[in-house]
């Protein structure tokens, strides 16, 4: 990260910190005033510099110019609102320059210096407001918002007929003003937004920012003019790390009060931080994390000028999001980690429960929590996802899919696509441009069992070989393959369709029941190696070929590291700022995966050693899903599973035989039969049935991971 205050050399070797940043020349909301004090005055040079640096806002300027020219249909009153740092003051300065250039008198009022009374406002405006042709510019109107009724009812109607009034503030006008027919033809209301990418790039270019740093600055700021200007001042200092610029605390200290302002209390601040970390914030999310006052907090968030409303909830402007998150991670790293973990678990549960049409959005919301991971942000494009939409494959799409396959991977690969279209059409998805409705890409997620497809698809055959050679799929388990990811214009490079495809593959992996292995298939050119390895999708040694093209395959065993532990490790790596595959203790969440015969043997061995903690610790079950996901030791898991026998027909006798033989400490089975008062043959029948039923129960939980259904005793209870 690049700094803006003097200090010691950087520990990461990227260079030294930049010189101190003078924030006076980039303060978006400095008071307005006259811009000329006579020929050759310093104010003239200041105004000229400001005009050279001004970019964009063409529509707003056009509307204002029509008002100055009194063109037909022009509206003489302009109300501009938006969050701090969005460029309201700069726009009013430009309005002032436009008016003076035409010889119009200008009266400027900065509400921060005005007593919030009619008398104070009139004193600041001066007698010039009664001059014909006057242009009145009012900045930071939120500081005297209580005068809004007076302004509309008394002040504005008293202005000369050819006057132009422009007001800028953080809050929009009262809704009744917008519905008042008297103002309908006179009032132009504009919600000022971030600069579009082209204008933001023009601003950075005008400020002398080197080309490698511009994309980074735009990604952080989202086009917020104040954040762009601050970042430009840093990048312009010549630090070689400018291409990876992120704000340090002195810059954040300037940005936060300008972008966000004061919050009513710590609960509101926490709601803001949640809103900053989530892709979209719903009242349900706030309720899950903050409790019963979620409706009040959600309503407060919705009223903030830097928060936008979407069909699924709320989201802050990009610069606000990034600054809030950077400040929390610096100020309270433990609090940030705790909030992230809560949100991760919430969105994971949402993804697992989402109906199929909502799966893609739920996956994107979960992955968004990891955008601070540089690799994640480089390969996922949240801004562009709306340019395409995913649809399930239909037979009418066949010609387009085969054409796209042949265009990118050749005729032989298109034949393999045709094979799977004939046999697994439900595995395919197409992506349509939202601009012209053309099919521009397709994706295939195969769910395969019992060696299916190995004879027709060399890539699938390689997956089956790897699985069988390492940890074979057990009965009822399947392999999942992200087999085809085809988007010709940016073939297997980051793009909107590729982002959708990654979300689809991730969602299928996380939601799948009984998945053994997943495989991501990419052209073998190394481009995806680091990104997929950073998600514990590890490359296979084998590189299968189709018509001379080699493909890289990246595998993950979901029995060894299920979705929950996988995301926990991903979180730990992100917070530590390291790669997942290279993190200290990486793969520490991996589990032992046993076949059914191995599992049955391990259960019998565990029962015989149930009173020996050392022997139990070495049992394979202690390193499997049963123990890891239940959070209990193996003895507690065995006892809880034994308790389920009581609910079965004739289960009481089996339960007693099992507990007496293995948990009570008797030395022989004969002694156990004697203690139970049973003939030995009857005792053996009960015990054999009990072990078989116990093994079946445990195997079910091993495969399905529903350890929460086991009747674990309370911590104070002991198994007799």
């Amino acid at each position: 990260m690049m700094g803006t205050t003097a200090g010691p050399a950087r520990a990461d070797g990227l260079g030294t910190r930049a010189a101190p940043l003078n924030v006076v020349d980039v303060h978006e909301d400095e008071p307005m005033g006259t811009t000329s004090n006579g020929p050759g005055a310093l104010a003239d040079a200041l105004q000229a510099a400001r005009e050279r640096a001004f970019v964009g806002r063409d529509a707003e300027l056009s509307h204002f110019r029509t008002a100055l020219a009194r063109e037909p249909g022009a509206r003489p009153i302009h109300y501009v609102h938006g969050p701090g740092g969005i460029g309201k003051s700069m726009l009013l300065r430009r309005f002032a320059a436009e008016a003076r250039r035409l010889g119009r008198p200008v009266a400027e009022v900065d509400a921060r210096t005005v007593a919030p009374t009619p008398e104070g406002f009139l004193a600041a405006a001066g007698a010039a407001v009664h001059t014909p042709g006057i242009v009145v510019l009012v900045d930071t109107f939120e500081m005297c918002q209580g005068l809004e009724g007076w302004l509309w009812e008394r002040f504005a109607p008293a202005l000369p007929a050819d006057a132009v009034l422009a007001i800028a503030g953080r809050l929009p006008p009262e809704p009744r003003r917008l519905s008042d027919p008297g103002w309908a033809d006179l009032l132009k209301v504009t919600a000022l937004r971030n600069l579009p990418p082209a204008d933001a790039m023009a601003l950075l270019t005008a400020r002398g920012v080197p080309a490698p740093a511009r994309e980074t600055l735009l990604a952080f700021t989202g086009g917020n003019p104040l954040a762009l200007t601050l970042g430009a001042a840093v990048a312009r200092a010549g630090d070689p790390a400018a291409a990876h610029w992120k704000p340090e605390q002195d810059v954040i200290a300037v940005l936060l009060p300008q972008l966000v302002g004061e919050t009513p209390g710590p609960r509101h601040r926490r709601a803001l931080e949640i809103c900053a970390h989530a892709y979209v914030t719903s009242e349900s999310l706030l309720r899950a994390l903050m409790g019963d006052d979620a409706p009040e907090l959600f309503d407060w968030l919705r009223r903030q000028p830097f928060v936008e409303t979407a069909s699924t909830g709320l989201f802050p402007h990009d610069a606000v999001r990034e600054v809030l998150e950077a400040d929390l991670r610096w100020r309270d790293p433990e609090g940030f980690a705790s909030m992230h973990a809560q949100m991760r678990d919430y969105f994971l549960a949402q993804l697992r429960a989402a109906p199929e049409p909502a799966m893609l959005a739920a996956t994107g919301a979960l992955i968004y929590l990891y955008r601070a991971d540089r690799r994640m942000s480089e390969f996922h494009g949240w801004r562009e996802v709306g340019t395409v939409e995913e649809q399930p494959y239909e037979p009418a799409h066949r010609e387009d899919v085969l054409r796209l396959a042949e265009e990118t991977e050749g005729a032989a690969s298109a034949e393999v696509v045709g094979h799977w279209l004939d046999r697994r059409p439900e595995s395919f998805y197409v992506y349509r441009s939202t601009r012209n409705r053309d099919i521009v890409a397709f994706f295939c997620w195969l769910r395969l069992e019992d060696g299916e497809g190995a004879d027709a698809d060399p890539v699938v055959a390689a997956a089956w070989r790897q699985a069988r050679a390492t940890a074979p799929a057990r009965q009822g388990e399947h392999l999942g393959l992200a087999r085809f990811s085809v988007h010709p214009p940016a073939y297997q490079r980051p793009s909107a369709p590729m982002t959708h495809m990654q979300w689809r593959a991730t969602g299928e992996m996380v939601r799948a029941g009984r998945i053994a292995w997943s495989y991501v298939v990419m052209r073998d050119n190394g481009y995806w190696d680091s990104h997929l390895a950073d998600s514990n999708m590890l490359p296979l040694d084998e590189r299968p070929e189709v018509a001379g093209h080699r493909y890289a395959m990246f595998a993950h065993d979901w029995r060894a590291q299920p979705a929950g532990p996988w995301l926990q490790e991903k979180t730990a790596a992100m917070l530590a700022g390291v790669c997942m595959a290279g993190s200290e203790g990486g793969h520490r969440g991996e589990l032992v995966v046993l076949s059914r015969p191995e599992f049955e043997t391990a259960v019998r061995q565990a029962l015989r050693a149930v009173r020996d903690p050392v022997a139990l610790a070495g049992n394979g079950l202690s390193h499997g899903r049963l123990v890891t996901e239940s959070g209990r030791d193996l003895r507690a898991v065995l006892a809880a599973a034994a308790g389920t026998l009581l609910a079965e027909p004739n289960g009481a006798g089996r339960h007693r035989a099992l507990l007496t033989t293995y948990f009570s400490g008797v030395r022989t089975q004969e002694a156990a039969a004697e203690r139970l008062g049973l003939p030995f043959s009857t005792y053996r029948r009960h015990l054999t049935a009990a072990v078989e039923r116990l093994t079946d129960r445990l195997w079910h939980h091993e495969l399905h991971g529903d350890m929460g259904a086991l009747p674990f005793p309370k911590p104070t209870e002991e198994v007799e």
Side-chain angles (χ1 to χ4, degrees):
M1 283 172 56
M2 183 174 175
T4 56
T5 56
R10 294 170 53 91
D12 57 11
L14 292 176
T16 57
R17 295 174 181 262
L21 172 65
N22 179 2
V23 300
V24 173
D25 64 335
V26 298
H27 197 302
E28 188 266 347
D29 286 325
E30 66 189 31
M32 295 174 57
T34 57
T35 57
S36 180
N37 296 310
L42 182 61
D44 292 335
L46 178 63
Q47 178 63 20
R50 285 172 173 165
E51 290 196 18
R52 287 194 301 271
F54 188 90
V55 298
R57 308 304 188 200
D58 294 335
E60 291 80 6
L61 286 171
S62 176
H63 289 305
F64 186 73
R65 286 166 181 155
T66 61
L68 292 176
R70 303 187 68 184
E71 295 180 8
R75 301 187 181 187
I77 302 179
H78 294 251
Y79 194 112
V80 177
H81 65 93
I86 205 68
K88 300 183 296 294
S89 296
M90 288 292 290
L91 182 60
L92 285 194
R93 291 193 195 102
R94 188 57 180 262
F95 284 176
E98 294 284 336
R100 291 191 175 99
R101 190 172 292 120
L102 294 176
R104 300 282 291 264
V106 176
E108 300 177 69
V109 178
D110 187 336
R112 284 175 299 187
T113 64
V114 171
T117 63
E119 296 76 18
F121 190 96
L122 290 172
V129 295
H130 302 298
T131 304
I134 188 69
V135 175
V136 181
L137 306 175
V138 182
D139 199 8
T140 58
F141 186 62
E142 70 273 7
M143 300 301 293
C144 58
Q145 201 79 32
L147 295 179
E148 186 171 0
W150 170 82
L151 183 137
W152 296 118
E153 295 166 11
R154 298 294 183 87
F155 179 79
L159 292 174
D162 57 353
V164 175
L165 171 63
I167 304 165
R170 296 196 176 196
L171 304 176
E174 295 175 340
R176 58 178 173 158
R177 305 301 168 190
L178 303 179
S179 60
D180 185 339
W183 292 108
D185 296 330
L186 302 176
L187 176 61
K188 171 67 177 175
V189 177
T190 302
L192 213 57
R193 297 290 186 257
N194 288 340
L195 293 173
D199 290 341
M201 285 297 189
L203 186 152
L204 295 174
T205 301
R207 296 296 177 104
V209 175
R214 293 174 197 161
E215 287 289 347
T216 303
L217 285 171
L218 181 57
F220 167 77
T221 64
N224 179 278
L226 175 60
L228 281 168
T229 307
L230 282 170
V234 176
R236 196 174 56 230
D239 191 318
H244 303 293
W245 180 85
K246 287 188 177 180
E248 289 200 356
Q249 291 314 305
D250 50 356
V251 177
I252 290 174
V254 173
L255 285 172
L256 260 179
Q258 295 298 316
L259 299 180
V260 177
E262 296 293 330
T263 53
R267 298 280 289 172
H268 296 79
R269 180 59 176 260
R270 175 48 55 127
L272 263 182
E273 291 161 350
I274 292 170
C275 191
H277 196 44
Y279 187 40
V280 175
T281 297
S282 65
E283 190 174 305
S284 300
L285 172 62
L286 290 181
R287 184 179 300 108
L289 271 64
M290 302 198 68
D292 293 340
D293 56 350
E296 173 196 341
L297 294 169
F298 186 84
D299 186 58
W300 176 80
L301 282 173
R302 183 163 48 185
R303 296 196 307 270
Q304 301 313 299
F306 49 81
V307 172
E308 300 284 349
T309 301
S311 60
T312 53
L314 308 174
F315 64 95
H317 291 185
D318 291 342
V320 173
R321 184 193 294 280
E322 298 300 335
V323 168
L324 278 168
E325 185 149 306
D327 180 65
L328 178 61
R329 293 189 69 168
W330 167 78
R331 176 172 48 82
D332 184 8
E334 291 80 10
F336 176 81
S338 175
M339 179 186 75
H340 172 87
Q342 286 181 283
M343 295 175 70
R344 176 197 66 214
D345 294 345
Y346 173 86
F347 284 116
L348 176 58
Q350 292 287 302
L351 171 56
R352 284 172 164 161
E356 169 60 26
M359 190 268 271
L360 212 62
T363 306
L366 177 62
I367 293 176
Y368 190 76
L369 300 180
Y370 295 89
R371 70 190 183 283
D373 176 351
R374 183 174 59 85
R375 283 188 174 87
M376 193 69 74
S377 62
E378 289 175 354
F379 285 83
H380 292 260
W382 285 273
R383 293 175 186 273
E384 298 82 20
V385 291
T387 61
V388 295
E389 65 178 14
E390 182 189 84
Q391 293 181 350
Y393 169 80
E394 297 176 1
H397 303 149
R398 183 184 182 91
E399 183 178 344
D400 285 316
V401 168
L402 293 176
R403 173 181 53 80
L404 293 171
E406 184 167 358
E407 180 180 343
T408 55
E409 298 188 348
S413 183
E415 289 183 10
V416 179
V417 171
H419 168 87
W420 289 116
L421 285 174
D422 292 336
R423 289 158 181 80
R424 290 295 183 86
E426 74 281 358
S427 298
F428 284 79
Y429 300 87
V430 299
Y431 300 89
R432 287 188 180 275
S433 166
T434 55
R435 180 177 58 84
N436 56 23
R437 309 303 299 165
D438 289 345
I439 293 177
V440 297
F442 75 90
F443 175 73
C444 174
W445 174 262
L446 292 173
R447 185 184 185 277
L448 303 175
E449 298 180 14
D450 302 324
E452 181 184 4
D455 58 340
D457 188 340
V459 173
V460 169
W464 281 116
R465 282 193 294 271
Q466 186 272 341
R468 287 167 177 155
T470 50
R474 300 172 295 198
Q475 184 177 6
E477 293 179 338
H478 68 275
L479 307 188
L481 279 82
R483 176 61 183 92
F484 299 102
S485 304
V486 175
H487 176 222
Y491 179 58
Q492 295 187 351
R493 289 292 190 272
S495 66
M498 282 300 296
T499 296
H500 278 278
M501 294 174 196
Q502 291 184 82
W503 292 2
R504 166 62 58 181
T506 303
E508 296 286 358
M509 295 173 195
V510 170
R511 286 159 58 95
R514 309 291 301 278
I515 186 171
W517 290 90
S518 69
Y519 299 88
V520 176
V521 181
M522 292 291 180
R523 183 65 62 86
D524 184 25
N525 57 15
Y527 183 82
W528 288 87
D529 290 11
S530 61
H531 172 59
L532 291 171
D534 194 29
S535 295
N536 274 355
M537 310 286 174
L538 303 181
L540 307 188
D541 292 333
E542 183 176 357
R543 296 291 196 270
E545 289 191 11
V546 178
H549 295 297
R550 293 201 317 168
Y551 291 87
M553 301 178 66
F554 304 84
H556 185 88
D557 187 345
W558 293 97
R559 303 158 302 178
Q561 190 182 46
W566 176 63
L567 287 170
Q568 290 167 12
E569 186 177 335
K570 183 67 177 171
T571 294
M574 179 189 73
L575 295 175
V578 299
C579 297
M580 191 174 181
S583 61
E584 183 179 354
H587 306 282
R588 57 186 175 275
E590 288 190 355
L591 311 181
V592 171
V593 179
L594 301 175
S595 66
R596 177 64 190 248
E598 293 170 333
F599 188 87
E600 292 174 353
T601 299
V603 171
R604 292 188 176 92
Q605 291 174 343
L607 287 171
R608 289 194 292 269
V610 75
R611 296 173 67 84
D612 183 349
V614 175
L616 281 185
N619 187 285
L621 297 179
S622 288
H623 308 284
R625 190 174 192 178
L626 289 169
V627 169
T628 302
E629 291 196 12
S630 69
R632 307 296 184 99
D633 60 27
L634 180 53
R635 184 176 189 275
V637 170
L638 292 170
T644 65
L645 301 179
L646 290 170
E648 298 182 348
N650 303 316
R654 296 171 183 173
H655 181 258
R656 286 195 301 271
L658 193 70
L659 291 190
T660 301
T661 304
Y662 296 115
F663 290 86
S664 68
V666 297
R667 293 183 177 277
T668 65
Q669 291 188 357
E670 288 78 4
E674 184 178 350
R675 177 179 292 189
L676 290 169
L678 295 174
F680 189 72
S681 61
T682 303
Y683 157 77
R684 284 287 299 167
R685 187 171 67 252
H686 285 328
L687 181 62
T688 300
V691 172
E692 290 176 354
R693 291 298 299 138
L694 177 75
T695 302
D696 288 342
R697 289 276 184 167
L698 291 172
W699 181 247
H700 171 85
H701 293 299
E702 169 75 10
L703 293 182
H704 295 280
D706 53 347
M707 267 62 74
L710 290 174
F712 287 107
K714 296 178 181 178
T716 56
E717 296 176 348
E718 292 290 339
V719 176
E720 299 297 338

